Each structure stands twice: as C-alpha cells, then as structure tokens.
Amino acid sequence: MQLHHMINGIISSRLLYGLIIVCLISSCAQKEIIPKDLLKETLIPIPVSMEAAGLSFEVTDRTVIYTSGDYEFLDHFIREVKLLSGLNIDVAPMSTSRDDGGIYLILKKIDNPNDEAYELEITPKHILIHANTERGLFYGIQSLRQMMPKELESATQISDPILIASGKIIDYPRFGYRGAMLDISRHFFGIPVIKKYIDYLAKYKMNTLHLHLSDDQGWRIEIKSRPKLTEVGSLTAVGGGKGGYLSQNDYKEIVRYAQSKYVTIIPEIDMPGHTNAALVAYPELNCNQKDPYPKPYTGMKVGFSTLCTSNPAVYDFLDDVIRELASMTPGAYIHIGGDESHATKKNDYIAFINKVQAIVSKYGKKTIGWDDISAASLSDDAIAQHWSDKNKAIAAVEQNAKVLMSPATRTYLDMQYDSTTPFGLHWAAYIELDSAYIWDPGKYIDGVHEEDIVGLESPLWSETIDNLDKIEYLAFPRIIGHAEIGWSPQEKRNWTEYKTRLAKHESRLIEMGIDFYRSSLIARDSISSQ
Ligand code: TNX
C-alpha cells in the first residue's frame, strides 16, 4: 500500500513538474483566443477598408502600449482606459523586436501619404497602429476606442474580457476640413461646454471648431484694446439670458485644449451686419441717423444692423479686433461672417469685404466668410461657406476660391427634426437623420466639384438652446452622420447600412451620456444589446 502511494506521489509530482515546464515553454498561462468579427464593429465614420481575421486581441492588466513619442492624447487615452476599466495598462518606450505582445504606436511612411491617415492591424498578439503623423495615430486610437466595450464609456465595471477583433483597417479622410460651428453669441456657452463639444468632435474624427463669437445679441470675446465690447456688449443674450464672454485666457485655453485633440479653432466675428452688440458698445461705429444709439437686442430677427462701412474708424476698430484675434489663433483662418447684411448697400458691402480681407491677410491669416462674400473680390486662398444660395457658392468657385459645404437644408443642426422637436427652428427645413445623411457634397451643386470643396461643417445656431443637453439633442446623432460624410468615401456610404450601424452605435452614445434624439427611423428592437 505504502509503496503504491509513493509511486503515485512520484508520478503525480513528475506530472506536475512536466506540466509546469510545458507551460513555461508554450506559455499556457495565456487563455485561449476568443474569436471576434471585425466586420461586426459599428465604427463611425466607417473606415475606407476593413478586413476581418476572425480572432481577437485581449487587453489585460499586463497590456503595454509601446511608443517612441510623448503624446498628450496617449496619456489621456491610457488614463481613461485605466479609470474606466480598472486595468493597469502601461506605456513603455518602443521595443524594436516586437517580440513582446502589446499595442504599438508607430510613426512611419504608410501607403497613403495623407497626414490624417492610419492603419490598424490587430492580431492575437499585437495591435499595430501605423501613421505618417501623430494626428494619424490619434485617429487610429479613436477607432480602437470605438472597438472597446461600450461600457468603458461610462466606467461601468465589466467582468467580461476586453477583446478587440483581429484584422486590418486602412483609413484616411475624404475631406481635410471636417467641422462644426457653435454659436456662443445668441446664448453664451463657456469653457466646460466648449471642451465637451471638442471631445465629441475629436471622437468622430472631426478636426475644426468654428466659434461664432459675435452677433446682434452679444459680443463674446475679450478684445483688450476695445474693452467696452465685453464690458457692455457681452451682457445680453436671446430672450434676456445672462450673457457672458471668453476672456483671452479662456480662449487660449480652448485653443490649446483643441490642439491636444487635433481640432483647429476658427474664430468668427460677424460683420458688417449682425453687429448690434458691437454698436451698443461703440455707437460711433454706426451711421444710422434714425438710431444713433442702438439699444441692446435680445430678439431673434436678423439683418437690421450694420457697421458704418464709409467710416475709417470702423477699419481701425476691425484692425484692433482682427490683430488681437489673429495673435491668439494658431489656425490659418479667421471667419469674417458677412451673411445677411441687409442693412448695408451692395456696393458698400463689396468694398467693405475687400478691405477686411486685406486686414485678415495683413495679420497672416486667410479669410473664411459665409458665401455672401463671393459678391466681393475673393483671393484664391479664401473660403466661402455655402449655406443657402447655390449661386453664391458657384460665384466663389468662379473666382478660384474654395467652398465649405454647410447647406442649411442638410447640415444646420438648429433645424428641428420634425414639427414636434421641442426647440430649434425650421426656416430652412425639418431635417430628419436620413435627410442629414443622404447627400453627396461633391454632387450637391452643379458647378461646384469635389476639388473645389474643402469639406463640410455643421453649424449649430443657439437662438433656441441654452444648455449642453439641448446642444446634444440637436447635434446628435445628425453630427456623426456629417462626420461620416466628411471622412468616409462616398461609395462606402449607404443609408440602409448606416441606420443599422447607428442603431447599434446608439448604445455607445447612451454610455457616453449624450442626450441624443431617438429618431423613429432607427429600428432599435432588432438590436440585441452588444
Ligand atoms: C441664418 S446662416 C443665419 C444665422 C441664424 C440662423 C438660424 C447664417 C449665415 N445666418 O444668423 O442664426 O439662420 O438658423
């Protein structure tokens, strides 16, 4: 009996040692690889190409991100994943052998030379993100982020392993300008809201935020040489709201934050119309005999105010404003508005825009204006933002300027979805999700071709909205459809496919805490929660 036990003991401990050795060699501590289908991911914008390999990479406590750069966005990403998942992933300097499994961020020349392009290759052992630039790596990370469990968006503890489907993504944008506009004049929104909006834009690979900084109802940016603009001009908002403004430090903080997410800020000072708030602050810029001292305006009418285009003091004023604005704006463009100047005579308007364009270029910047500015002599590097009249966009192209597409009937986020939407306007259209999505910027206007177009922008005017929830409700999900129009190839976009993808992606918006519009066009019932 005892001998029998001894032999049994020897055999079992040998077996144990043997097993340990085999484990060390074959690293059997690793769990089996779980299959996952990359093509089931609901990425928005949809990538140029995706090839599934059927397996998966598991992100664990031991996952290391290898990088040769010190990227702010990476710190942010890691902090977020750590915080949200509780996993202790770490960063290490690039390991050249790549024997170690992990996530690699690699700057190198990839097939597509575009500086926003990236490639994402996922195997059970590696996630390789390749890009020509840091910006491309950033977009690779955004795609990876959308392939992680949606629960990570809300820090909900998940017990399932974090699996990334294996395969290869090749991706690059259709247009270089993929933007949004936020009107902080009709109602004021400060740093926290603007930063949140920037976060959202960056997640969907949008790269420009146009801030509408002045209008009849309020002036929202500190100009040190013209202090009354904010002391007086910032106090009002639509409907008697409380007003407010960005100090220069606030603005610089926003610019810097945006840069960390590869978003360029384009500041707009609307002129010569939409200037009542400036005229209240500096009545001498007005030459309306009937109303020499304009009163603060909190209504919603447009087209009644104008700077006095024949008064040289107006150009000194604009020189001050544009100089200060340009000096805190690293982006190439200053937006000069130029829309709906119904109180300005046509010839005065043309001379005015020509002069202001010269001031913008004097301070090293290029001009963007609403497409009304195509009545003036546009320089080749100017951009006309198309919003209403197709002929104005055509007139810009005929002058060799470029066009930014923001047709009000498709991209205006302040338009109601339908007649029951609790806020928003409908002068241009009701814009349901299909109408916002099903159009091709390159074919929208006869005579304005793909190569004439810098991209598209979704403006959100704020006459009827005064908080982040309302911003989110009007912007989402239309804005992510626009993000896809700007990024993805036209032939990849298909409404029927998009609306199923969006139905699944909605659960991610919920986790992100976005108060989006639940369109009846989206069939949610068929979606098993994934
Ligand atoms: C037109 S679009 C405007 C804005 C209003 C908007 C409301 C454009 C260039 N001007 O002043 O806020 O409609 O939808």
Side-chain angles (χ1 to χ4, degrees):
M1 253 338 232
Q2 277 206 337
L3 187 66
H4 190 82
H5 259 136
M6 258 175 67
I7 292 170
N8 261 354
I10 290 168
I11 292 174
S12 59
S13 55
R14 278 220 176 134
L15 248 176
L16 194 67
Y17 283 129
L19 256 177
I20 290 172
I21 287 165
V22 171
C23 274
L24 282 176
I25 294 169
S26 71
S27 72
C28 76
Q30 254 179 25
K31 285 191 235 121
E32 79 179 287
I33 296 161
I34 302 168
K36 209 169 179 221
D37 185 359
L38 181 62
L39 301 184
K40 292 227 172 83
E41 295 299 338
T42 57
L43 294 181
I44 297 180
I46 193 165
V48 171
S49 90
M50 289 207 274
E51 216 175 274
L55 298 171
S56 65
F57 176 96
E58 181 173 352
V59 182
T60 70
D61 242 353
R62 297 175 309 280
T63 300
V64 175
I65 302 187
Y66 296 96
T67 157
S68 43
D70 179 16
Y71 311 127
E72 196 175 337
F73 69 79
L74 194 57
D75 294 346
H76 188 83
F77 172 71
I78 288 167
R79 229 181 307 124
E80 218 179 36
V81 174
K82 274 186 181 171
L83 181 80
L84 301 182
S85 68
L87 292 179
N88 193 29
I89 59 170
D90 219 342
V91 186
M94 190 60 77
S95 134
T96 42
S97 72
R98 273 184 226 148
D99 286 345
D100 304 316
I103 302 175
Y104 287 76
L105 269 57
I106 303 162
L107 279 180
K108 66 164 212 186
K109 272 213 164 75
I110 59 173
D111 281 350
N112 191 300
N114 189 300
D115 70 355
E116 295 181 300
Y118 70 93
E119 294 174 359
L120 192 50
E121 207 176 318
I122 301 142
T123 69
K125 192 171 175 193
H126 297 118
I127 294 182
L128 306 179
I129 305 180
H130 290 132
N132 300 309
T133 65
E134 283 178 26
R135 187 184 277 265
L137 293 177
F138 177 72
Y139 289 137
I141 290 279
Q142 299 318 306
S143 291
L144 182 60
R145 188 81 181 71
Q146 286 191 15
M147 292 163 71
M148 296 193 140
K150 63 179 191 301
E151 288 78 7
L152 286 187
E153 303 288 356
S154 61
T156 307
Q157 217 51 50
I158 41 171
S159 44
D160 293 343
I162 298 184
L163 300 173
I164 312 294
S166 68
K168 184 161 184 184
I169 294 178
I170 293 175
D171 209 8
Y172 48 85
R174 174 177 176 187
F175 293 113
Y177 188 124
R178 303 176 304 281
M181 184 211 82
L182 189 61
D183 172 7
I184 67 167
S185 176
R186 271 51 176 273
H187 282 101
F188 177 65
F189 302 106
I191 291 181
V193 170
I194 296 172
K195 283 188 175 172
K196 191 93 203 178
Y197 212 54
I198 291 170
D199 290 345
Y200 292 153
L201 300 183
K203 278 182 195 292
Y204 293 93
K205 304 189 177 78
M206 298 175 91
N207 62 12
T208 310
L209 176 63
H210 161 188
L211 289 174
H212 185 73
L213 293 170
S214 71
D215 214 301
D216 291 318
Q217 297 87 345
W219 184 282
R220 307 293 181 212
I221 179 76
E222 177 187 23
I223 300 295
K224 296 200 164 151
S225 56
R226 302 282 173 159
K228 282 200 230 146
L229 286 172
T230 44
E231 283 167 17
V232 177
S234 77
L235 303 177
T236 38
V238 164
K242 80 174 166 25
Y245 67 91
L246 299 174
S247 69
Q248 294 206 349
N249 281 339
D250 293 343
Y251 180 81
K252 287 177 193 161
E253 184 179 332
I254 289 166
V255 164
R256 228 210 62 70
Y257 185 79
Q259 275 176 328
S260 76
K261 306 218 158 194
Y262 302 93
V263 170
T264 302
I265 298 292
I266 297 189
E268 176 187 356
I269 300 297
D270 207 345
M271 59 182 99
H274 291 274
T275 40
N276 192 72
L279 297 175
V280 172
Y282 291 102
E284 62 271 27
L285 304 178
N286 180 33
C287 48
N288 182 344
Q289 303 300 329
K290 272 190 275 164
D291 193 9
Y293 294 100
K295 284 160 265 328
Y297 184 70
T298 59
M300 282 171 42
K301 281 207 296 268
V302 295
F304 61 88
S305 55
T306 183
L307 295 169
C308 186
T309 56
S310 57
N311 182 353
V314 162
Y315 301 96
D316 294 341
F317 167 77
L318 292 174
D319 196 284
D320 285 343
V321 171
I322 292 169
R323 183 186 63 251
E324 290 195 30
L325 209 49
S327 77
M328 10 177 223
T329 303
Y333 290 95
I334 302 281
H335 200 303
I336 61 167
D339 57 314
E340 299 173 318
S341 289
H342 308 318
T344 323
K345 288 203 188 77
K346 176 126 194 215
N347 284 340
D348 295 346
Y349 175 84
I350 291 171
F352 174 87
I353 296 294
N354 289 342
K355 282 187 187 162
V356 175
Q357 236 186 156
I359 300 176
V360 170
S361 75
K362 171 175 160 198
Y363 291 111
K365 300 294 177 189
K366 302 174 191 171
T367 297
I368 301 193
W370 298 103
D371 59 11
D372 314 50
I373 66 167
S374 66
S377 309
L378 299 184
S379 57
D380 286 0
D381 60 9
I383 294 177
Q385 181 166 11
H386 169 62
W387 65 283
S388 171
D389 183 343
K390 294 185 177 179
N391 290 324
K392 292 181 178 168
I394 295 167
V397 169
E398 280 167 356
Q399 299 194 56
N400 286 327
K402 296 276 187 248
V403 172
L404 172 61
M405 293 296 285
S406 300
T409 50
R410 306 289 180 159
T411 66
Y412 267 30
L413 298 174
D414 63 318
M415 292 299 117
Q416 291 167 286
Y417 293 93
D418 63 27
S419 61
T420 66
T421 313
F423 31 81
L425 304 170
H426 57 262
W427 64 263
Y430 292 117
I431 309 181
E432 248 298 353
L433 303 193
D434 52 353
S435 170
Y437 185 81
I438 309 172
W439 63 287
D440 177 354
K443 300 228 165 66
Y444 194 70
I445 303 177
D446 285 341
V448 178
H449 306 112
E450 184 93 4
E451 57 277 16
D452 302 319
I453 296 171
V454 291
L456 78 159
E457 185 180 284
S458 318
L460 180 49
W461 302 99
S462 64
E463 285 94 333
T464 63
I465 53 174
D466 57 3
N467 64 36
L468 182 63
D469 283 349
K470 293 179 188 171
I471 289 179
E472 290 177 351
Y473 188 80
L474 286 179
F476 286 88
R478 288 183 290 202
I479 194 168
I480 65 178
H482 293 155
E484 180 153 304
I485 299 178
W487 180 280
S488 309
Q490 182 64 24
E491 62 277 10
K492 273 260 148 187
R493 297 201 302 112
N494 164 317
W495 166 246
T496 315
E497 183 278 328
Y498 176 71
K499 76 178 172 183
T500 358
R501 185 153 39 92
L502 179 59
K504 294 185 194 141
H505 193 90
E506 274 188 346
S507 59
R508 191 169 287 273
L509 299 179
I510 293 173
E511 297 287 333
M512 284 158 74
I514 296 179
D515 191 12
F516 65 93
Y517 164 66
R518 269 69 165 174
S519 168
S520 61
L521 301 179
I522 301 302
R524 293 173 194 90
D525 301 346
S526 57
I527 308 301
S528 60
S529 83
Q530 61 138 32

